[in-house]
Structures are given as C-alpha cells and as structure tokens.
Amino acid sequence: MNLDYIIPNDWSILEEGFDPENIKASESLFSIGNGAMGQRANFEEKYSGPTFQGSYIAGVYYPDKTRVGWWKNGYPEYFAKVLNAPNWIGINIYIEDEVLDLHTCKKIEIFKRELNMKEGWLSRSFIATLQNDIKVEVNTKRFLSLDMDELGAINYSVKPLNSDASITFRPYLDSGITNEDTNWDDKFWDTLNVSHENNQAFIQAKTMKTDFYTCTFMESQVFIDGKSMIIDPNISADANSASFSYNYKVKQNETYTIHKFGGYTVDRNHDKYELVTAAKKVLEKATKAGFSTLLDNQKKAWAKIWDMADITIDGDVKAQQGIRFNIFHLNQTYLGTDARLNIGPKGFTGEKYGGSTYWDTEAYCIPFYMATKDQSVARNLLTYRYKHLQKAIENAEKLGFKNGAALYPMVTMNGEECHNEWEITFEEIHRNGAIAFAIFNYHRYTGDYSYIPEMGLEVLIGIARFWHQRATFSKDKNKYVILGVTGPNEYENNINNNWYTNYIAQWCINYAVENIERVESDFTTDFTRIMNKAKLSKAEIEQWQEVAERMYFPYSEKHNVYLQQDGFLDKELITVADLDQAQRPINQKWSWDRILRSPYIKQADTLQGFYFFEDHFTTEELERHFDFYEPFTVHESSLSPCVHSIQAAKLDRMDQAYTFYLRTSRLDLDDYNHEVHEGLHITSMAGTWMSIVEGFGGMRVKNDMLTFEPKIPQQWDGYSFKVNFRHQILKVIVNQGQTHFELEGHKELQIEVNGKSVMIAPNKLVTV
Amino acid sequence: MNLDYIIPNDWSILEEGFDPENIKASESLFSIGNGAMGQRANFEEKYSGPTFQGSYIAGVYYPDKTRVGWWKNGYPEYFAKVLNAPNWIGINIYIEDEVLDLHTCKKIEIFKRELNMKEGWLSRSFIATLQNDIKVEVNTKRFLSLDMDELGAINYSVKPLNSDASITFRPYLDSGITNEDTNWDDKFWDTLNVSHENNQAFIQAKTMKTDFYTCTFMESQVFIDGKSMIIDPNISADANSASFSYNYKVKQNETYTIHKFGGYTVDRNHDKYELVTAAKKVLEKATKAGFSTLLDNQKKAWAKIWDMADITIDGDVKAQQGIRFNIFHLNQTYLGTDARLNIGPKGFTGEKYGGSTYWDTEAYCIPFYMATKDQSVARNLLTYRYKHLQKAIENAEKLGFKNGAALYPMVTMNGEECHNEWEITFEEIHRNGAIAFAIFNYHRYTGDYSYIPEMGLEVLIGIARFWHQRATFSKDKNKYVILGVTGPNEYENNINNNWYTNYIAQWCINYAVENIERVESDFTTDFTRIMNKAKLSKAEIEQWQEVAERMYFPYSEKHNVYLQQDGFLDKELITVADLDQAQRPINQKWSWDRILRSPYIKQADTLQGFYFFEDHFTTEELERHFDFYEPFTVHESSLSPCVHSIQAAKLDRMDQAYTFYLRTSRLDLDDYNHEVHEGLHITSMAGTWMSIVEGFGGMRVKNDMLTFEPKIPQQWDGYSFKVNFRHQILKVIVNQGQTHFELEGHKELQIEVNGKSVMIAPNKLVTV
C-alpha cells in the first residue's frame, strides 16, 4: 500500500489516479456519515477487486458469540459487533452487455476521488475503457443528508465518448450481505420482506438475536443530458434483493444520469410495522426536492457545523487538512442529538473493536463536543452512562463486588460488558475514573451543576463504592493498594499500584464525597431520594475516605517521580531513541511478554494523570515526569500523542508539540500505524482538537473562567478556533506575536490570557 | 452427576446399576489403552443418550487452527489436537427389528461394569427389556492387547431370555467421526478407501494437514452357545463406513456371541502403502489365536507389569483402589518403548488440553517410569526432548531470543509450541527448568552419566542461554531479576521475581556449567563436538555465571520466608480455612482478576522448589515455608496435593499427608474437581505414586544410594512397593512398626534407613 498518497488540500481529501492497492484505505478515508448512519466509500458500481464493504446504522448491532481460546469465569457471552447493514448504494452499470467494473477495465484515466469536507459530499470521476472498447466518462456524487438523517442521495452519470451505447443502470437493494468481522460466520440479518412499487423498493429485515427492525429503501430517477426521462424499468426481486433496470440507447457524448435516493428507517425512531410507510415519506420528500436541492441543503447544514467547529491553520496545508479531517469525521460519527447513541472507536468506517462506547468518549470526546456544540450534547453523553448504571452494578456483581458498586464496561453497546481479555475486561478498571472525571469536567466547563443531583451523584456513588471495595489493605505497606490492574498504558498488564489508577481512584472517592455534601446542603430532595435508593450510610462514606486517605502511591526518591507501577525501576530502562528502529512498532515485532517486561509505554499513563489533574501539580513536577516518561513512550495507541502534544506545548517545547500534533492529526491520513484499511480512529480525533485548543491555545477553565496561554508552532502563520462557553461563542485567533479574541454573544466575558485578566465585549475584536 | 458411585475394590473399578448421568464419567474412568492406542469406555452397541465418543492413536494429531479472541504476536498458528480416530469397536445389535439401545430400553436390570486392572480388560453385563418386550441378557468383554499393540478384541454375547428372537450383530467401522474438542468444526479425517474381503473390512484414512496414514480394520467370528458358526454376512459399505450383518434366529436361552477383532495400523510403524497388508497380518494372528488365548496373553502381560509396578496397601480398600487406578492408567498411556511418544495430560481418555507433552512429564512422570521400568524408558523420555532441541531454539527465536537459547514449549506434539495464552505460552517459562532438572534427576537415580555428553549437555546449554538472556539487570536492586512470568502456581500471572522461577533459573545455569566442566575433563571428543556446534565461549559462560551469582530472590525478613513473588505481602492474607466454602473451587466461582489478586495458590510453587531442591534447605526451613504457604493453597491443580503430601510426611504430619494422598490418588475416582467426564488426569497420577514412595516411604537417592525414612498412616496396616534401582529390584514392605526390604538382584545393595546404613543381600528379607 502507498502511504501518503492523499493530496494536501485545505478543504478536501483528494486522491488522483487509480491504484487498486489503495482501495481499502480510501474506502476508510473517504467514508461518509450523518450521525445516524454511515458508510465506507465503496463504489456504487460492481467492483470485483479486493474491497471491504460496509454500511452501518447507528445503534444497530449484533451480539456475536464470544470467541476465546481459553474461557475465564466472568467473560461476557457476547461481543456486540458493529453490523454491516443491507446495501442501498449499489448501482450496477451495463455498457452494452458488459458490466462496468474498474477491476477489469482495459484502461482507467484521470481517476479522481474527492471528499469535500466543507460541503459534506463524496465524488468520483474517471474515464474508463471497457473490454468491449467502449470508452465512458463517469461522474458520481454521493452524500448522507444531515437534514434528513434517514436519507442518502447519489448522482451517477455515464457519458459514452467513442460511440453510441446501450446503457443500463441497475440500482439495487441487497440484504444478503456479510460482516468482515465475525467470529463464527453467523448470518446477522433475517430478511422479512422484499417489496417494490413503481420506482421504489423496500427490504424489511431484522437483525438476528437483537431484533432490530429496519427498512432499507430506494427510488431512482433518470435523465438524459439533464432532462428527466420516464423509463419503464425491468424489475427483479428475490429473497434478499430487489433491482430495477433502466436501459437507454445513449448517443455518443450524451450524458445518461441516475439519481438514486436510499437509506434506512429503523425501529429506534418508528414503530416496527410502520417502517415502509416512514420510508415512503422520506422518498416522497426527497424526490420532490430533487438531488440538487438536497445537495444545497447539505452544504448549508455543513456550513452551520463548520461555522462553530472549524479550526483554521494558516501556512501549513497538511496541518489544516489534518484538523479538518478530524473535525469532519467526528461530526459524521456523532452529532449529539440522541442520548441512546455514542461514539464508536471506528465510527461508521469499519467494524474492528465492535461496541460503541469506550472510555475514549469520556476522556477524549467530551471536551470537543462541549466546546463545539450546545452543552446539551455533552449532557446527553453523560446521561448515556447514567442510564447504564444498573448494568454497571450488575457487571461489578459478576466480578464479586456488592452493595451497589459499579464497574462500567470496557466496551459496550447496551451497558453490558462485551470485551473478553481478562487483563482488559477485568483489570483495565481505570475506565471507571474517566466516567467520574467527565462529570467533573462537564460541570467545570458548563457550570451546569444540575446534572449531579439529577443523575451524576448516583454514578459517583457507584464508582466510589467500586474503588473502596477494589482496594485492599496491605499490612506490609500499612496503606491501601490496588492490585492486578491494567492502566491506560496497555503495555503493562496485571500490575500492582498503577499510579494513574490509584490516583484517580482516590480522586473519585474524594469527588463523590464532596458532591454528596454539596447535594445534601443544596438539593435536599434529591439527596433524600438518592440516599434512600443507594442505601448509603455515613459509616460507609467514612470507610471510603479511609481508603482514599491512606492510598499508596509508588514513588522514587532517586528520580523524584511517581512510578508508573510497583517495580517499574526493575526494568532495563533503555529509551525509545536507543531502540533499534527495525524493532518498531513493537506491537507488530515483539511477542507480548517482551513488550510487557520492557519499559515502553503504549500511551500516556502517568502523564494522563498529570493531564487530568494538571492543577494538582506544579509545572516543575510535570516537567520532571514528562522528561522521565516521554523517552519510553512509543505512542502505539492513537490516544497517546495528543496528551504529549498538550504537555509539550505547556512546557514550551513547541517543536515536539508540533511533531506530536502532526502525528495525532494525520494518524489516518498518513497511516502511521499501517491499519487505515480497517477503518479510522474516530475517538482519538477529538484528541487532535484538544492538542490545538488546549495545547497550542493553552485553554483551560479555572474558577468558572476561560484562561489561555496561546502559543504557536513556528511552522504556522496563524490559527483560529471557536469555543462555545456557557452559551456564548468565543473565537480565538492566534498569529505569530499576537492573539485576537472575538465574542459572538450578548454579554461581556472575562477571560485570562497568560495570567492577565482580559474583558471581551460582544462582537468586538480584542487583540492581546 | 453422582460423585463417588464407584464401588471400592482392591483390583477393579466397579459400577453397578445403570445411571445415564454417569455415562460420560464412566466412559472416562473405565478407559482402556495399551500405550499405542486407547479409548474411552464407549458402548459397542448404539447409545442414543449423551455420550463422549473417543478412540485415540498415540502420536496421531491434528493441528487445529488457533482460536483466540485477540491475537498476540508470537502465538502459534496451530494447536495440536488429540484426535478422535475412526471407530472400530461398534457393533449394532438388532433384536428382531429393534436396535438395542440402553437409552430407549423399557427396563435395564443388574447393569454392571468392571475395569479389571489386574488383567487389563473391561466388561459389561446387564439384562435389558426392549420396547418390543424381548428381554435379553448381554455380556461383553473388551481389551486392547499389550502383546499386539495394534489389536483390540471384543467378546459380545446376547441371550434372549423370554422368547426366541432373530438377532443381528452388525459390527462396523466408521471414519465419519467428529472431535468433541474442535475449534472450527473442521473435518479432521480424509477417508481414502473403504474395502472388505471375506469377514474383514478396512478403512484407509489420513488426517487432514498432518497426513498421518492409518488403516482401521476389523474381522468377526460368531458363535452359538460357544460353538463357532459360519454365517454369510450381509455387507454394506459407503464412503466412510463398512458393516457386516450376521443374522441368526436365536432360541430362548441360547447365547449368540460375536468376537470382533479390530484396531489400527499406522504409518509410524509401517510403510503407508502397506497398512492394509499389515492389518491383515494382525487379523490373521488374532483370529488364529482366538479371543480366549489373546485374553490369556493379556492377563500374563499385565501380570508382568504389576509384578514390578504394583503398590499394595493393607487395610484401606479405597486407598488401594486409588493407587492401582493411577498405576494402571499410567501404564495404559505410556509404556516407554517408543521415544517418539510422550505422556499426554489426559492420555487416551479425553481431548482437553491437546498436545502430548507438558512439563508434567519431567516434573512428575519421570520418577515413576525410572523406578518401575527399565531405565531406558526414562532415557527415551529425555531423548524426546533432545530431539526437540532445535524446535525449542526456534521457539525462543520467535520470542526474540538468540544465539541458541532454547525455550521448550508449554504444550507440544512435535516440538513446536501449540498453546495460546500469552500468560502461559510466553511467560510460564519455568518449564525449561523442569527439563533440565529431569536430566539431573535421571543421572542421580540411574547413575548413567552417558546421556549428558551424548545429548543432555546440548539441552542444558540451550536452557542456560535462555535464562541468561531472559534475566534483566535491575539497577534499582543491583541484582538480576526475572520479570513477567507465571510460575507453577498459575493463579498468578505476569509477576516479577517468582521465587521458584528465579531459583530454578540460577540452578540451571550452575548445573549447565558444572556439566560443561565435567564433560570437558572426562569426555573430550563430546566436548569438542558440542562446543563447536553450540559456538560457546568461556566469556559467554562467565556472563551466565554473573547472572546466576547475582540473582535476586524476594525474601521477607519479617516472616523469614522466601516470597512467592514480588509484592506477595501486599495481598489480603486470609487463609483458605477462613474462606467461605461456597466460594470454592475459586476457579469456578471467581473471575480471573479476583483469583489473581487473592493470595490463593493453585499448586505448590515455592514448595515445588523446596521439593526439587530439598537438600538445599534444612527441615526447619521447609517447615517454615510449608506453614506459610500451605494455608493459602487451594490445590485446584491436579499436580498440587502430591507435593504437599510428600512434604507433610517429611514433617511428620501424617494425617495431613494421608488426606493429601487420598486427594491425589482418588482425584478422578471421586471427581474432586467435577470434570472427570472430560477425561482423566493422567500425568498427576505419577504424583500419587511419588506420594507413597517418596512421601510415606521417604525414599531418596543420595550419593548414588537409596535412602528411606519409612512412615505409615495410622489408617493402614501396611503397604509395599518395588523400585528398579540400577538394574536390581528392591521391594519395600512397610508395616506399623517395622519395614522389610527384599532385593531381587545379583549383588548386595547398601541403603540407608532413617539415617543408618543397611546392607541388603539378594533374595533375603531384611527387617528394620
């Protein structure tokens, strides 16, 4: 595969020239989505070469029977798989009697693919010479509507260039599809009914086991040189598919075009018996408006998103393309309008990892959504976890905890754990801390305390109970210890006293207690309700506090740093710089035991704690820990470089910060980890956003106030971003030498810049 | 399932009464084998109830594609599966037109099953009333011949008790079989040819992938009231089976009998094109001799084994039955005549765990085979590992080791690793130590040093190199440490400085160096050959020694014991006695993380080291460590109680020793771990033998001399055992109060009893 074949451009992802080696990578990179559904950039027409077909519906999954080598007690029975849904984009093209297939054409010229991020559409154009020597020019454009999130639209044109040709468009629906990522080659879909009516077709299908009912639908219109035509299609249908054939004798240089409208209606939004009716309404509205009006609406909808979420970077096209690519995919994946949904690690671009929700959401995505959307979006994300609290309690019970202790799952779709590696599922328990931290972070940023008495406190109590029970008292140390964990650095398993885990456990207990006290004094009714429900006594709280107060933290007097875990200093401390480059990435070169006994860090672990709890430590302490741990960090997790970028910027190490920034923002575009064909790293894209806003912009919230310490890499002329802070929008423009602030709002906003207080009046440019 | 339904008896395993719940357990317990093949005690006639069918051929396996949840670098592609082989025992019985099937009979009376261990046969008898109201008495007897190890024989009689009946025997061969334990439901056998000739049938089949060629064969004879009959059978054959139907109108109270001879010829012993010819020779010999002569030979062959291997226990039938059951199954599994074979953990009684060779062989089985067989048998077991040295070096290379370092696999069939849990495959490296220890143990017991210059030294060098490279220098401790291991106690994973592992690593290096020096001085030619092959320099040896000399051992000053691993004292040290019984066995009740952070020990770990290196420590040290670790040991490994039994006996804690003895000897008979239906724990059976000979008998070898400290549980009147020591056989008879020795040999033998020297003259009873 060619890395780095994407052409730099401010607003688009561009590929020029047809290279079958890049097909799967481009299918990932050019993926489109609208929060409710999404799909890999598969071709509409037949493609017989290697391809990874994928179209996904938010919240529709399949519980695939767990596959393990050796079963351990407590493993979940099922792994919730992201589910390839019936295909509605397919349009087979017949030129005379030959099917158009880029894998078998004699010649392909001026192939070009564009993902226009500004306007939210995907296009392709090429000239192909078929085996029958007919040369055709093809232009396609496709988008998934933001306005009507059950709808997608395709404009597909074919122009014969060297002769007249009988051309057939054969749009189809197909529910006989498979998943790339299946444990047992199970069939995931049960097709219930295939029907058609006029130019419309519908496939009703439900998922096996989970019984999600869906209707996949389509309707097409055809045109010659832009003029609408009525062509009576040849219809064919079988148990899993329906297709219409629109044949026309196209003259040389005439353009034959099909507009295909399709998509899914699902029983999350409609009664399961009304899915066809709902689909008909969508199609009626779509065909009435027509492709070009729908496209105009699409541009407007994306303009609105960009108006709030865009980050501009001047003088560095690759950096600019990188950040927009990240922001674009985050918005394609999750728009925050439905509290039942969440942000899967691969979004709608692949199937790997399954599930929809990891700690990534709380640790990385929430800051992005808080600052670029209305704060209700972040609240929805918190509410999602509140709704799963009972399941988290049951999950903890399976592992022997009691009395309402909650352990949120490592990976989940419906609140149940669905991961199955003991060292992760049972031991990567720090995830519980991120869920509590997100509540703190939401309150810190939005000032909205109401979430805590309404919902959050119950979550905090369940989590505090978990940590209290999970810690054990070491007589030897005369302290509480936490044994057998995996920290954020997954290159250590089953370790004792992971500093990050112990620290966040202590913090969770203290934060829970602090909020119990505040709710007790300020929200009496809620307090009574919660205490009755949780059956929480003062005595129990005191036991928690005993654990928090006497928590053990491994520390090296010699190095004057907290140790990542017990025994870290027993390792052979050879830095990454001194490691043979041929050995990297170590997760592809080394056996697991070698990784584990090495000092190499997959992702920020101790430093992740310094990131979350920055104001608990001095800058000197940060610097010491950064200098100690960064040299051992291999950043083989997509979640690692952003934190290092932010901390390097804070420590005025701008070259390092810039390098980390490029690595996080172009991780997929430049395919650093050789895996982009499997899908994109969606959740870590929010980390890229953080590395600009929190890293270079130095933005923090302190005492209900935004503070900034703006810095700029020397490679850039300037950059700008906007944040939605407590219902006002602040635009920040950083140039070499000065920073401008502009407030879209109604009342003046006090901020702090480099430690100095600055008052920003609405709608005036303030330069610092 | 009913535990404990086996009727106590000195020489037989007996079951009375038909209980479908016990079928699978009995299929395991009554298994038969002859070292070359073996089978579960499946019924000959059809049985439509739940059953676990299994017939196994030594050395014939299938490399099943690895199944894991999450792949790790270095995992083997395949897991060598014990392979259910074509069925030759099947005889369907038709009474009039109804098939005899104990699952559907109207009534079953006086059902009895016997495994006669003294004579090596399995029998069944019962009276069944079929749905057609015909009542028949059935008697069967079956054995796998020790003399002709490709042959098995069945005697099956039916007598109609309440009417005349048309009875058909339909003996068949069937290669359309499946494995219980398969990862992907692959087909394991490829049937090449089904043929028949007169009363003989042959199925030639080869295993998929591994291409082991086999011929499964049969021939039958029928009798009425003991008189040979010539009945022209109805023959039928298809792609995977062949059957002959012998019909006869049997009068009431007449006995209709079939003798079926069958078995396997395999390409390990014959040219693959000569398997049918070889089978015909076996059948010719068998039918000429006839069932009863073959059975007589079987009795003689077993008498010979028992003459050497028997252990008698007076006054305790259950203990007597237990030890004979263990000795019997060990001999059924492995007779030591073929250096290409080894001792699988389930022998021929089940499929679980796969592979044929674990460290069990070296740590537990070799002492048994050394003392109860000619010493060539133990040498064969050592040679097996020598032949796998190159594969062990390749295995280490896959994990990043170099320069001829060898890591023997955790589980293997052909020398390649076939296990796939990272914490075991990559980290349970102490197995290398057991392989070196077995060489030491062999030399200590037999006095035969020749193995070391001929083969053993190369193995010791590969192992020493591994330990040298695997240890890392801790600047913090100024010692060499061994990070990230799993010790014999598999209830701890990825721990640092497991005392047992560090200790045996140090010992391996020292022992290798000691033997390099001895071979250099005494076996110059071998020395030159080995040094040239291994490219070993004095400088490298000095590096090994540096590691051995500066090895770190975790130690608690407070408790005055070596610690099982770093951080052991951080655990909540609640003893097993104080653990809620409802929580046990913890491996069935607790999630893995909970087991790992608990102090509970699956099997002797530190104490295993004290067992191997007993004379490195004082009895006081042993007692201190036994008192520290025993209270945390849950013995959920079959390999655990025997070591504790030996040490308890040494510490004069005879009640405890006796309890551990019963647990190890009747582990399967009383189904302590609720898993006997999966097969028997063959390798730990050798531990039972050790717990009598080394535990109660107190036998050791010191300075080329046998020493004894005989003790006897108060529950016993006496016990006796024999050991083959350096080509003479010493019988030891221990009664309450005195011990007798009797030497079958040619020259007097000096031994030590309770520290006093005793001279034993040949063929005279000496009482101490």
Side-chain angles (χ1 to χ4, degrees), chain B residues 117 321-331 368 664-666 681-682 684-686 688-689:
Chain B
M117 301 187 287
Q321 188 180 38
I323 185 64
R324 284 198 174 124
F325 183 71
N326 287 261
I327 296 168
F328 180 69
H329 275 294
L330 282 163
N331 276 285
F368 169 79
T664 175
S665 72
R666 296 188 61 89
H681 296 85
I682 298 296
S684 65
M685 291 178 173
T688 304
W689 179 91

Side-chain angles (χ1 to χ4, degrees), chain A residues 372-388:
Chain A
T372 68
K373 305 272 177 211
D374 185 79
Q375 68 188 45
S376 63
V377 170
R379 206 181 208 271
N380 272 348
L381 287 170
L382 299 187
T383 303
Y384 176 95
R385 292 290 194 178
Y386 175 69
K387 289 189 172 159
H388 288 177

Side-chain angles (χ1 to χ4, degrees), chain A residues 345-365:
Chain A
K346 299 245 163 254
F348 300 119
T349 72
E351 296 160 18
K352 207 179 169 187
Y353 303 130
S356 72
T357 316
Y358 288 63
W359 72 293
D360 306 26
T361 293
E362 282 75 17
Y364 299 91
C365 298

Side-chain angles (χ1 to χ4, degrees), chain B residues 385-386 388-408 432 455-470 512 516 530-537 540 544:
Chain B
R385 293 290 194 179
Y386 175 69
H388 288 177
L389 176 60
Q390 189 50 39
K391 289 256 163 82
I393 290 171
E394 288 161 21
N395 184 40
E397 280 168 359
K398 280 180 203 158
L399 305 188
F401 297 89
K402 52 200 177 186
N403 187 33
L407 176 60
Y408 278 89
N432 245 8
M455 300 188 239
L457 188 60
E458 290 177 58
V459 172
L460 294 175
I461 289 170
I463 288 173
R465 280 175 156 159
F466 173 80
W467 290 121
H468 164 237
Q469 294 174 33
R470 185 58 165 74
I516 290 168
I530 294 165
M531 290 299 117
N532 285 342
K533 189 169 166 193
K535 296 190 181 50
L536 179 62
S537 68
E540 187 186 339
W544 302 353

Side-chain angles (χ1 to χ4, degrees), chain A residues 128-291:
Chain A
T129 308
L130 281 75
Q131 293 295 334
N132 61 18
D133 288 321
I134 299 177
K135 195 173 191 172
V136 291
E137 180 186 320
V138 172
N139 284 283
T140 77
K141 190 168 280 182
R142 179 162 105 214
F143 62 89
L144 300 184
S145 171
L146 283 179
D147 287 349
M148 298 171 63
D149 69 8
E150 293 162 321
L151 179 74
I154 301 167
N155 180 334
Y156 199 112
S157 294
V158 182
K159 187 203 285 188
L161 297 178
N162 59 353
S163 73
D164 299 352
S166 165
I167 297 182
T168 303
F169 287 132
R170 194 175 178 202
Y172 64 87
L173 300 178
D174 179 15
S175 60
I177 46 90
T178 55
N179 250 54
E180 281 262 319
D181 186 32
T182 154
N183 285 342
W184 308 98
D185 294 326
D186 282 6
K187 205 183 145 213
F188 290 173
W189 287 97
D190 180 13
T191 303
L192 304 170
N193 191 39
V194 176
S195 62
H196 54 85
E197 211 178 305
N198 305 321
N199 284 303
Q200 299 179 336
F202 308 92
I203 295 187
Q204 290 168 269
K206 74 176 179 65
T207 53
M208 311 293 274
K209 293 192 198 168
T210 31
D211 284 351
F212 291 113
Y213 283 78
T214 63
C215 171
T216 308
F217 56 83
M218 69 167 179
E219 179 169 356
S220 302
Q221 302 167 332
V222 291
F223 305 84
I224 283 290
D225 281 346
K227 263 175 281 175
S228 177
M229 309 280 297
I230 304 296
I231 297 179
D232 230 16
N234 244 329
I235 300 172
S236 94
D238 63 22
N240 294 308
S241 70
S243 66
F244 294 162
S245 292
Y246 298 91
N247 177 270
Y248 191 78
K249 313 267 175 230
V250 185
K251 298 227 168 60
Q252 189 174 348
N253 289 323
E254 262 186 353
T255 301
Y256 185 36
T257 299
I258 181 168
H259 291 175
K260 179 177 182 182
F261 305 98
Y264 308 105
T265 49
V266 296
D267 64 352
R268 195 176 62 253
N269 301 319
H270 305 279
D271 183 287
K272 70 181 179 189
Y273 300 111
E274 298 294 332
L275 295 176
V276 171
T277 311
K280 283 182 179 172
K281 282 187 192 157
V282 172
L283 286 173
E284 191 189 344
K285 202 169 158 192
T287 50
K288 210 176 227 172
F291 185 87

